[in-house]
Amino acid sequence: MMEKSFVMLKPDAVKRRLAGRIIARFEDRGLKIVAFKMLQIPEDLAMEHYQEHREKPFFRDLVDYITSAPVIAMVIEGKDCISLIRKMVGATNPAEADLGTIRGDFALETGRNIIHASDSPESAEREIKLFFDESEICSYEMPDREMIYEE
Ligand code: UDP
């Protein structure tokens, strides 16, 4: 099934100039970027985005981290892409992430794990709405679509 996932390059990815290499992994895989923006997340949006963690001991540090510098927020589309992108991103703790995953190749610690990706269709829908207006989500055909999908 065609899905849309919310993917965000966190401040450490931007400041470490890793954005192009990370985005290239999604493009190389055949996934389609349908929305894209750089922004510095205001505190209230950070708290809303991570609301499920608000009682956790790391919540304050997480909000400080995610608001510390600009992020790159994206909507990425592809067949069953929500779970696929989670696999490409790797485990929350980069020290435990498989080599070949984004976190496994570029990061070392949980509190500096460089990228966010939606973990379910429900969270994807919620997160996309939080960061993008409907009008900011683009629709276009990939000319090599038949080379990527069987049908
Ligand atoms: N996090 C943290 N300490 C922890 C667990 C999580 O700083 O012990 C941060 C980390 O940046 C993580 C984010 O909180 O990416 C959200 O946690 P979640 O468990 O949802 O992991 P994710 O879905 O990002 O892999």
Side-chain angles (χ1 to χ4, degrees):
M1 202 180 72
M2 275 300 166
E3 290 179 336
K4 288 186 176 71
S5 184
F6 176 71
V7 176
M8 179 168 71
L9 309 186
K10 295 179 177 180
D12 41 351
V14 173
K15 292 179 89 171
R16 292 176 56 199
R17 306 170 308 280
L18 294 173
R21 289 154 74 191
I22 297 170
I23 293 163
R25 290 184 175 217
F26 297 120
E27 293 190 319
D28 288 348
R29 194 78 193 260
L31 297 170
K32 180 159 73 169
I33 298 169
V34 294
F36 188 101
K37 69 170 106 172
M38 181 180 255
L39 73 155
Q40 184 135 6
I41 302 185
E43 176 147 325
D44 56 345
L45 178 57
M47 294 175 102
E48 177 75 27
H49 175 66
Y50 282 123
Q51 57 167 349
E52 64 173 301
H53 297 302
R54 66 182 172 275
E55 308 297 340
K56 307 268 174 65
F58 58 83
F59 184 66
R60 187 65 250 171
D61 286 345
L62 176 57
V63 170
D64 287 347
Y65 161 48
I66 216 71
T67 58
S68 65
V71 301
I72 292 173
M74 292 177 278
V75 179
I76 297 182
E77 187 181 280
K79 202 175 268 186
D80 301 321
C81 77
I82 295 172
S83 62
L84 176 76
I85 291 171
R86 289 286 292 188
K87 276 191 221 149
M88 292 174 72
V89 163
T92 304
N93 180 353
E96 289 165 7
D98 290 334
L99 297 180
T101 65
I102 294 164
R103 286 170 174 163
D105 288 350
F106 294 120
L108 285 172
E109 295 204 321
T110 305
R112 298 287 183 271
N113 63 3
I114 71 168
I115 185 164
H116 167 87
S118 306
D119 63 4
S120 67
E122 296 71 34
S123 58
E125 196 182 337
R126 186 181 80 84
E127 293 166 359
I128 290 169
K129 278 207 185 103
L130 263 183
F131 282 84
F132 291 96
D133 284 338
E134 192 106 27
S135 63
E136 294 177 298
I137 318 256
C138 299
S139 175
Y140 60 96
E141 289 301 319
M142 301 189 297
D144 57 352
R145 191 183 190 290
E146 279 177 45
M147 305 293 112
I148 290 162
Y149 294 113
E150 291 178 49
E151 52 185 70

